[in-house]
C-alpha cells in the first residue's frame, strides 16, 4: 500500500473536478497545479502550489511548455525503492509526486468541428501525454488518472481507502491511462495519414460490451464501440453477435430508401422482404409477402415512425428485432407484448466512411459502397428502352441487390421485392433460386424487373429471366459476352440497361 501525499493536477475539462479536489484537501494531500486548473482549485476554496514555484520557470511559448521540467518528471518517475533515485530527489530538491490527474486537449473534437489546421495542431497535447506516460510507467509508486471518465473510480478510492492505494489499484489506472494515450496517438496518426498515408493500419475504438457469445455458442464475442450513440434500446433481451450483424445490414439497407414509407425484413444479413408504399402498414404487409417463411425470427427496420396499425400487423409473427426512427405511444404496448423482442430507436447518424475486415494475418480496409444509380444513370443497351415505371423498379431493385450477398439477383415489381437469389456460386443459380421462390409465394413475374450485382458472363441469365416473364434488366455490363445478352434481349423484346457500376458484396 502507498499513501498519497502529493498530487499534480492539470486538466482541460474541469467538470466534477471539485469533488476530487475537496476530497484531496480533506486528506491533507498537497496539490500542485497549473494555469486555469490552479484558478479552479482556488475557487473551490482549496490551496494549491503553482508549478512555477517548483520549476522556477513560468508557462512559456503560449502555454506550450508548462510541466515539461525535471522537477516535475523527476518527482513522478523516481523509484521509491531505489536509493540512488531518492538521493537525487534530495540533491535537486525534487518532491515526490504520488498522484497525477491530467487529461488531454480535445484533438478529435477539434478535427470534427472543421477547425483550421493551425487550430488542430495546437490541440496536439505534449505535456499531458508525457505526464500520462511517465506516471503510468511508474505505477509501482504513482497513481495516474488520465480521463474525467475515471473520476468516479478515483473518488471511491479516496473515500474507501483514505488516500492509500494498492499495487492493483495503480496498475489498473495505468492500464486505463495507456488506453487513453494510445487512442489519442491513433487519432493524430489518422489525421496526418489522410494527407500522407503510411503503410500501417491503426484504428482505436473506445467502449466495449461483452456478448453472450460470438457467432456460435462455443465462440466468445465482444462488441467494441458505442452502440448507444446510434440506438436507444426500449425493450427486449440482450443484443447478440448475430443481432448486431443483422442490425448493421438493416441500417445500411434502409439508408438507401428515404422517399416513401419503407419496411425491410432481413435474415442472415440479406433482405427477404422489402416494400415501399404510401403507408407503413401496407409497406409491412407487402414486405412480409415477399418471403413470409424467412421473415420468421428476422430483423425488421422501418424508415418512418411505427404506428399502432403497423405494430398490430407486425405482432402476428415472431421476429427478434425491430428498428425505427420512433414509435407512437399506442404502438409500443403492442410491440412490447413479447418480452424478449428487441425494440430500437435509430438515432440520426452518418454511416462510417470506411469498412474493415480482418483476415489472414492482417486487415482489409475499403471505402463504403455509397454509389447509388438513379434512373438517369442507367444507359440503354438494347433497342427497347424501359418504361418510366420499369426504370423506377430497376432503380429500386438495384439498391436491393447492392446490399445482397454475391452472387445476387433481385426480382422486383411495383416497388416490392418479389424474390432474390443470394450467396450463390453462379449467377444463373442465383436467378433460378429467385424464380423458384417467386413461384413458391404466388408471384406472377410478368412485367417484373431483374437486377444483377455484376455482369452476366453468358446470355443464359437473360434468356431464363425472359422466359419467366421479366421485361427489363439492370446490370453493370462489362463482360466480353455483353453482346450475346444484348442480342438475345433485342430478339425477344427485353429492355436492358447498363450502369457501369458493380456491387459485389462478400
Amino acid at each position: 500500500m502507498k499513501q498519497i501525499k502529493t498530487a499534480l493536477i492539470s486538466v482541460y475539462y474541469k467538470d466534477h473536478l471539485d469533488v476530487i479536489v475537496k476530497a484531496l484537501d480533506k486528506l491533507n494531500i498537497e496539490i500542485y497545479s497549473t494555469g486555469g486548473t490552479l484558478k479552479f482549485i482556488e475557487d473551490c476554496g482549496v490551496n494549491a502550489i503553482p508549478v512555477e514555484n517548483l520549476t522556477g520557470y513560468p508557462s512559456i511559448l503560449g502555454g506550450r511548455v508548462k510541466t515539461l521540467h525535471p522537477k516535475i518528471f523527476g518527482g513522478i518517475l523516481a523509484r521509491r525503492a531505489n536509493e540512488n533515485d531518492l538521493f537525487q530527489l534530495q540533491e535537486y530538491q525534487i518532491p515526490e509526486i504520488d498522484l497525477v490527474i491530467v487529461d488531454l486537449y480535445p484533438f478529435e473534437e477539434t478535427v470534427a468541428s472543421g477547425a483550421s489546421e493551425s487550430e488542430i495542431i495546437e490541440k496536439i497535447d505534449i505535456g499531458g501525454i508525457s505526464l500520462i506516460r511517465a506516471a503510468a510507467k511508474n505505477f509501482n509508486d504513482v497513481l495516474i488518472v488520465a480521463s474525467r471518465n475515471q473520476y468516479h473510480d478515483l473518488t471511491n478510492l479516496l473515500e474507501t481507502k483514505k488516500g492509500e492505494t494498492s499495487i492493483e489499484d495503480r496498475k489498473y489506472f495505468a492500464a486505463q491511462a495507456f488506453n487513453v494515450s494510445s487512442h489519442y496517438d491513433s487519432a493524430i496518426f489518422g489525421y496526418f495519414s489522410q494527407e500522407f498515408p503510411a503503410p500501417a493500419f491503426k484504428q482505436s475504438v473506445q467502449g466495449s460490451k461483452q456478448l453472450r457469445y460470438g457467432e456460435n455458442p462455443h465462440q466468445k464475442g465482444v462488441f467494441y464501440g458505442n452502440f448507444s450513440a446510434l440506438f436507444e434500446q426500449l425493450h427486449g433481451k440482450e443484443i447478440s453477435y448475430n443481432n448486431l450483424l443483422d442490425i448493421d445490414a438493416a441500417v445500411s439497407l434502409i439508408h438507401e430508401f428515404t422517399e416513401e414509407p419503407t419496411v425491410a425484413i432481413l435474415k442472415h444479413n440479406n433482405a427477404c422482404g422489402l416494400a415501399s408504399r404510401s403507408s407503413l402498414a401496407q409497406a409491412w404487409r407487402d414486405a412480409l409477402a415477399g418471403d413470409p417463411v424467412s421473415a420468421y425470427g428476422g430483423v425488421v427496420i422501418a424508415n418512418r415512425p411505427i404506428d399502432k396499425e403497423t405494430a398490430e400487423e407486425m405482432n402476428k409473427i415472431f421476429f427478434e428485432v425491430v428498428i425505427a426512427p420512433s414509435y407512437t405511444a399506442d404502438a409500443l404496448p403492442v410491440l412490447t407484448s413479447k418480452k424478449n423482442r428487441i425494440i430500437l430507436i435509430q438515432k440520426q447518424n452518418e454511416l462510417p466512411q470506411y469498412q474493415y475486415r480482418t483476415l489472414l494475418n492482417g486487415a482489409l480496409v475499403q471505402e463504403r459502397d455509397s454509389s447509388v444509380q438513379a434512373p438517369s444513370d442507367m444507359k440503354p443497351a438494347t433497342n427497347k428502352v424501359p418504361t418510366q415505371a420499369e426504370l423506377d423498379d430497376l432503380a429500386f431493385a438495384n439498391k436491393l441487390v447492392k446490399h445482397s450477398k454475391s452472387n445476387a439477383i433481385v426480382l422486383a415489381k411495383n416497388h416490392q421485392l418479389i424474390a432474390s437469389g443470394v450467396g450463390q456460386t453462379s449467377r444463373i443459380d442465383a436467378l433460378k433460386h429467385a424464380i423458384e421462390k417467386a413461384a413458391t409465394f404466388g408471384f406472377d413475374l410478368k412485367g417484373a424487373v431483374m437486377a444483377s450485382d455484376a455482369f452476366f458472363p453468358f446470355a443464359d441469365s437473360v434468356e431464363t429471366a425472359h422466359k419467366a416473364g421479366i421485361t427489363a434488366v439492370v446490370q453493370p455490363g462489362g463482360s466480353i459476352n455483353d453482346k450475346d445478352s444484348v442480342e438475345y434481349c433485342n430478339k425477344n423484346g427485353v429492355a436492358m440497361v447498363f450502369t457501369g457500376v458493380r456491387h459485389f458484396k462478400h
Side-chain angles (χ1 to χ4, degrees):
M1 301 294 292
K2 300 277 186 179
Q3 180 69 45
I4 299 173
K5 301 182 290 297
T6 57
L8 171 66
I9 308 177
S10 181
V11 296
Y12 185 88
Y13 297 104
K14 313 297 192 298
D15 36 325
H16 306 301
L17 181 63
D18 56 328
V19 176
I20 290 172
V21 166
K22 291 174 182 177
L24 294 174
D25 186 54
K26 187 177 179 181
L27 293 167
N28 296 315
I29 293 170
E30 191 171 55
I31 300 173
Y32 295 91
S33 191
T34 63
T37 307
L38 176 66
K39 183 179 184 306
F40 178 88
I41 293 171
E42 291 174 339
D43 288 345
C44 291
V46 175
N47 291 325
I49 302 169
V51 293
E52 292 89 343
N53 290 7
L54 176 61
T55 64
Y57 280 87
S59 173
I60 62 173
L61 306 182
R64 281 188 166 198
V65 180
K66 289 181 284 192
T67 57
L68 293 168
H69 194 281
K71 284 203 170 183
I72 299 293
F73 282 86
I76 294 170
L77 285 165
R79 293 158 291 188
R80 285 21 170 203
N82 185 301
E83 290 185 7
N84 189 54
D85 284 8
L86 295 180
F87 176 79
Q88 289 187 317
L89 289 186
Q90 186 176 8
E91 181 182 6
Y92 296 109
Q93 298 181 323
I94 300 173
E96 295 177 4
I97 297 175
D98 308 309
L99 168 64
V100 176
I101 303 174
V102 62
D103 59 14
L104 301 171
Y105 292 153
F107 178 83
E108 288 179 282
E109 294 87 339
T110 305
V111 172
S113 72
S116 67
E117 183 176 274
S118 61
E119 292 174 304
I120 291 169
I121 297 306
E122 284 307 310
K123 288 299 185 286
I124 297 178
D125 207 308
I126 304 300
I129 202 82
S130 302
L131 290 169
I132 288 172
R133 291 181 66 84
K137 176 178 180 176
N138 201 25
F139 66 84
N140 271 321
D141 300 299
V142 179
L143 183 72
I144 173 64
V145 178
S147 167
R148 55 183 169 171
N149 295 331
Q150 295 158 17
Y151 285 0
H152 178 72
D153 289 344
L154 176 61
T155 302
N156 286 341
L157 193 65
L158 294 172
E159 289 176 353
T160 57
K161 296 189 176 180
K162 309 301 180 186
E164 285 193 330
T165 64
S166 67
I167 185 65
E168 290 80 11
D169 296 328
R170 297 189 297 277
K171 197 169 186 178
Y172 165 78
F173 276 90
Q176 301 304 308
F178 282 122
N179 173 39
V180 170
S181 64
S182 63
H183 178 79
Y184 195 77
D185 284 338
S186 293
I188 296 170
F189 169 81
Y191 172 76
F192 279 94
S193 66
Q194 292 177 58
E195 186 176 355
F196 302 102
F201 174 73
K202 289 182 175 68
Q203 281 293 312
S204 178
V205 179
Q206 296 288 67
S208 69
K209 179 177 177 58
Q210 187 72 42
L211 304 175
R212 296 196 306 272
Y213 50 80
E215 201 160 6
N216 299 291
H218 62 277
Q219 296 171 272
K220 292 181 180 179
V222 181
F223 171 72
Y224 291 96
N226 185 3
F227 187 79
S228 61
L230 301 179
F231 302 97
E232 178 185 353
Q233 183 170 353
L234 302 180
H235 181 76
K237 63 181 181 180
E238 187 178 343
I239 295 171
S240 71
Y241 183 100
N242 291 328
N243 289 154
L244 287 168
L245 290 176
D246 281 329
I247 290 168
D248 177 67
V251 167
S252 295
L253 175 61
I254 207 69
H255 187 72
E256 306 276 4
F257 297 89
T258 59
E259 294 182 2
E260 297 178 279
T262 301
V263 174
I265 309 169
L266 289 90
K267 196 73 170 287
H268 296 294
N269 312 153
N270 292 295
C272 58
L274 189 146
S276 297
R277 293 291 182 262
S278 59
S279 75
L280 201 66
Q282 192 57 49
W284 160 257
R285 295 185 193 100
D286 290 344
L288 179 62
D291 188 346
V293 175
S294 296
Y296 182 87
V299 169
V300 178
I301 189 165
N303 68 352
R304 298 287 192 277
I306 292 179
D307 55 22
K308 184 180 181 182
E309 179 187 1
T310 307
E312 287 176 338
E313 289 293 318
M314 288 179 169
N315 213 37
K316 293 176 182 178
I317 73 160
F318 166 71
F319 55 90
E320 287 211 342
V321 182
V322 58
I323 309 165
S326 63
Y327 304 82
T328 60
D330 53 358
L332 278 175
V334 178
L335 294 171
T336 57
S337 64
K338 310 294 184 184
K339 68 175 184 177
N340 288 327
R341 179 180 288 154
I342 297 166
I343 301 176
L344 301 175
I345 290 178
Q346 183 183 355
K347 301 176 183 179
Q348 290 294 328
N349 268 291
E350 289 297 316
L351 297 176
Q353 183 181 356
Y354 291 96
Q355 296 174 313
Y356 312 101
R357 179 182 294 186
T358 59
L359 50 75
L360 301 175
N361 63 347
L364 286 174
V365 181
Q366 71 168 355
E367 294 178 323
R368 177 178 292 276
D369 184 359
S370 57
S371 178
V372 179
Q373 288 70 57
S376 58
D377 300 314
M378 298 177 179
K379 309 304 180 188
T382 53
N383 296 333
K384 183 180 180 182
V385 297
T387 65
Q388 188 58 53
E390 286 174 330
L391 272 174
D392 290 344
D393 275 342
L394 288 170
F396 174 90
N398 200 50
K399 291 177 182 178
L400 265 165
V401 82
K402 168 182 166 182
H403 293 276
S404 303
K405 292 285 186 181
S406 300
N407 287 311
I409 291 289
V410 163
L411 307 180
K413 188 177 181 180
N414 298 329
H415 291 195
Q416 179 185 17
L417 171 59
I418 301 299
S420 62
V422 299
Q424 300 300 306
T425 52
S426 74
R427 199 152 302 281
I428 188 66
D429 282 348
L431 173 58
K432 288 177 179 178
H433 181 61
I435 292 171
E436 181 182 345
K437 283 189 70 174
T440 299
F441 298 116
F443 287 104
D444 180 5
L445 290 178
K446 187 176 180 180
V449 304
M450 173 174 71
S452 175
D453 62 336
F455 64 62
F456 297 114
F458 307 105
D460 54 354
S461 291
V462 291
E463 180 180 354
T464 301
H466 165 246
K467 290 178 178 177
I470 300 296
T471 57
V473 178
V474 58
Q475 60 141 318
S479 168
I480 59 172
N481 293 322
D482 277 347
K483 62 182 185 306
D484 296 338
S485 295
V486 171
E487 183 180 349
Y488 180 88
C489 290
N490 283 336
K491 286 181 178 179
N492 293 277
V494 177
M496 184 163 64
V497 295
F498 289 171
T499 64
V501 180
R502 189 180 72 185
H503 288 298
F504 268 164
K505 185 184 178 188
H506 293 104

